[in-house]
Amino acid sequence: MAPDVHNPSPEFLAFWREHHLCTLTTLRPDGSPHVVPVGVTYDPEAGLARVITNKHSTKVANILAAGTEGARVAVCQTHRRRWSTLEGRATVRTEPELVADAVSRYAERYERTPAPNPDRVLIEIAVDRALGRD
């Protein structure tokens, strides 16, 4: 059974708080997938997954190319037999307070604060579907 993104189980939430490298899948303008490693934080109360990145990255370009509505994306993490994917619509956010909040969330999950980056932006994913196995 698919996890409920609005009322996830404690095990599902715990898995998304553990230190795991994730992948982000975006679609290139030609429709082919672009899959890259990223750090992700998940905020079920807000229904958001967050990825911090450089504004010049291909993943940002792919999301922006999809238009003002954003782009369908997926973030996934695995650990042995456990895996989880969050899907939703991604938009690129540049507001300093949102980027700072995302950096703080990243630092909490990954136990390290990223170096300052004036080109940092936030990929904000409005999560509407989850898949996985605890």
Side-chain angles (χ1 to χ4, degrees):
M1 183 156 90
D4 181 349
V5 297
H6 302 293
N7 188 23
S9 71
E11 297 80 14
F12 184 83
L13 287 177
F15 188 44
W16 278 99
R17 289 186 180 116
E18 295 171 7
H19 186 289
H20 295 293
L21 185 63
C22 303
T23 60
L24 169 68
T25 302
T26 61
L27 296 178
R28 296 180 183 99
D30 70 2
S32 64
H34 176 258
V35 184
V36 293
V38 294
V40 176
T41 61
Y42 175 46
D43 178 358
E45 291 81 24
L48 297 173
R50 296 175 177 93
V51 175
I52 55 175
T53 190
N54 189 296
K55 68 182 179 183
H56 302 293
S57 69
T58 300
K59 55 190 160 288
V60 166
N62 290 342
I63 293 166
L64 293 174
T68 57
E69 296 292 316
R72 291 290 302 173
V73 302
V75 289
C76 182
Q77 66 180 15
T78 65
H79 183 254
R80 296 191 175 122
R81 293 179 52 116
R82 296 184 302 161
W83 63 273
S84 180
T85 299
L86 302 174
E87 297 179 15
R89 184 145 316 267
T91 54
V92 178
R93 307 296 299 262
T94 59
E95 299 92 333
E97 66 279 3
L98 295 180
V99 175
D101 177 63
V103 168
S104 175
R105 291 171 185 273
Y106 177 97
E108 182 179 336
R109 181 176 187 193
Y110 292 100
E111 300 176 342
R112 78 170 193 85
T113 301
N117 178 353
D119 290 334
R120 182 171 287 132
V121 296
L122 165 62
I123 295 173
E124 190 175 77
I125 304 163
V127 177
D128 59 20
R129 185 182 308 169
L131 307 158
R133 180 195 329 229
D134 295 352

